[in-house]
Amino acid sequence: MIPNRRRQQGLQYGIFLLCMQTVNYGLEKIPPATLIGIIAQTLLYTGLIQVPWNAEEVCISAVKIFKYKDWRSFFLSNFEHGSDMHLYYNMISFMLKGSYLEPIYGTANFVLLLVILSTGCSVMYVTLGYALTQLTGDYAYFTTCAIGFSATLFALKVLALCEEHDRLHNINGFQVPSKLAVWVELILIHLLVPNSSFVGHLGGILVGCLYSYTFVGRIIDNTIHAITGTPIIHEEQFYRRRNGRFT
C-alpha cells in the first residue's frame, strides 16, 4: 500500500473486525507463528508496541535504498500498514495462508521462510522500481514509497497454490484455475484498490515464483534445513511444478 496519511492509533473499526474474525475462525486453529505475527503487526499498528519511527518514515522505495541507503526501510516496511482496513485485509489473508502452510512446513521452517520471502520482496520491489524507471523513463517508479505485508502475502499465495491440487478458485465471483488465480487477483486489486502498490504485489508474485518454480527454492529449502535440522516437506504437486511437469 502507498502511504498517504499518518495512521491513527487505538482501536479502530478494522482492528475490531480483525479481532472478531480471528475469534470466529478459532484461535486454536491458528498456528503459533502465524498468530504471533498477526498479534505483533496489530500491536505495532495500534502503537501498543512502541517504536522510534512511524509508518511513513519506513516506507520502501528504490530511491531510498539506492541513493540514501535507508536499510531500515528495507526491512521494516513489510510490517507496517497505512490504515486499519489495510491491516485487517492483510492479517485475514495471512491467517488463512499461514494456517495452511505453517503446519505443512513446521513452525521454525515457516518463520525462516517468512523472513527470506519478506527480504526477497523488498529486493524485488526496489529492483522493479529501478528497472521500470529505466524502461519507461517514468521517475515515479523510482520514488513511489510503499508499506505493508501484501507482497509477502502474494508470495505465500503462490506457494499455497503450488502445494494444493489444481482446482478452481472463486475470486470476486470469477472461477479461475489455480495457476491463474494469483494473476487475476493482482489485476483485480490494482483496479479496485487505487492506492494499492501494483509493483509491490507483482514483486511478491515473482518472489513466490522464484521459490516455487526454480532452483532458488531448493537452495532456500536446503539452507533452512541446515539451520533448523528439519526438512521442508512439499506436496508432490509442488515438486512437479518446480521441475516443470504439470501433469
Side-chain angles (χ1 to χ4, degrees):
M1 181 178 184
I2 302 168
N4 56 9
R5 61 182 176 85
R6 187 174 297 275
R7 71 187 179 198
Q8 298 178 358
Q9 295 184 341
L11 183 61
Q12 302 172 51
Y13 182 61
I15 307 297
F16 174 76
L17 283 179
L18 176 59
C19 292
M20 292 298 296
Q21 290 287 350
T22 303
V23 171
N24 288 337
Y25 184 81
L27 291 175
E28 72 283 356
K29 297 179 182 179
I30 306 175
T34 301
L35 182 59
I36 291 171
I38 293 171
I39 293 173
Q41 292 187 64
T42 302
L43 294 178
L44 178 63
Y45 175 79
T46 58
L48 293 176
I49 293 180
Q50 296 291 323
V51 290
W53 67 80
N54 61 47
E56 292 78 7
E57 290 174 347
V58 295
C59 67
I60 189 172
S61 68
V63 68
K64 289 179 73 173
I65 302 302
F66 286 117
K67 185 175 181 179
Y68 299 108
K69 314 300 181 186
D70 186 355
W71 301 113
R72 184 176 69 169
S73 298
F74 188 86
F75 293 104
L76 298 179
S77 59
N78 290 298
F79 307 105
E80 287 283 1
H81 290 84
S83 72
D84 59 321
M85 295 309 295
H86 184 209
L87 174 74
Y88 166 71
Y89 286 117
N90 275 359
M91 292 303 97
I92 292 299
S93 178
F94 182 43
M95 180 173 66
L96 297 175
K97 294 175 177 62
S99 295
Y100 176 63
L101 292 173
E102 186 178 337
I104 296 175
Y105 298 156
T107 295
N109 288 345
F110 184 67
V111 170
L112 285 176
L113 186 59
L114 279 179
V115 172
I116 293 170
L117 291 177
S118 297
T119 303
C121 286
S122 293
V123 172
M124 189 65 73
Y125 182 80
V126 298
T127 301
L128 286 175
Y130 176 81
L132 289 170
T133 298
Q134 298 301 312
L135 290 172
T136 66
D138 187 351
Y139 198 66
Y141 288 114
F142 200 62
T143 58
T144 299
C145 230
I147 55 174
F149 204 54
S150 303
T152 304
L153 292 173
F154 267 96
L156 289 177
K157 185 174 183 66
V158 175
L159 271 62
L161 291 174
C162 287
E163 292 287 2
E164 67 183 14
H165 294 290
D166 287 329
R167 63 182 179 86
L168 293 178
H169 287 256
N170 189 307
I171 301 179
N172 283 38
F174 296 96
Q175 296 291 328
V176 296
S178 292
K179 65 184 66 176
L180 298 178
V182 69
W183 299 103
V184 173
E185 187 172 338
L186 170 69
I187 295 170
L188 284 177
I189 290 178
H190 178 62
L191 294 175
L192 299 176
V193 187
N195 202 38
S196 64
S197 173
F198 179 82
V199 174
H201 296 168
L202 174 62
I205 293 175
L206 295 179
V207 168
C209 288
L210 281 174
Y211 176 82
S212 302
Y213 295 104
T214 74
F215 68 93
V216 173
R218 289 191 290 272
I219 294 175
I220 292 173
D221 284 354
N222 291 337
T223 301
I224 292 176
H225 182 194
I227 294 173
T228 66
T230 304
I232 290 183
I233 306 299
H234 294 292
E235 298 291 339
E236 182 182 355
Q237 181 83 358
F238 193 105
Y239 286 115
R240 290 205 302 268
R241 290 180 184 275
R242 181 176 282 178
N243 294 325
R245 299 192 297 272
F246 299 94
T247 57

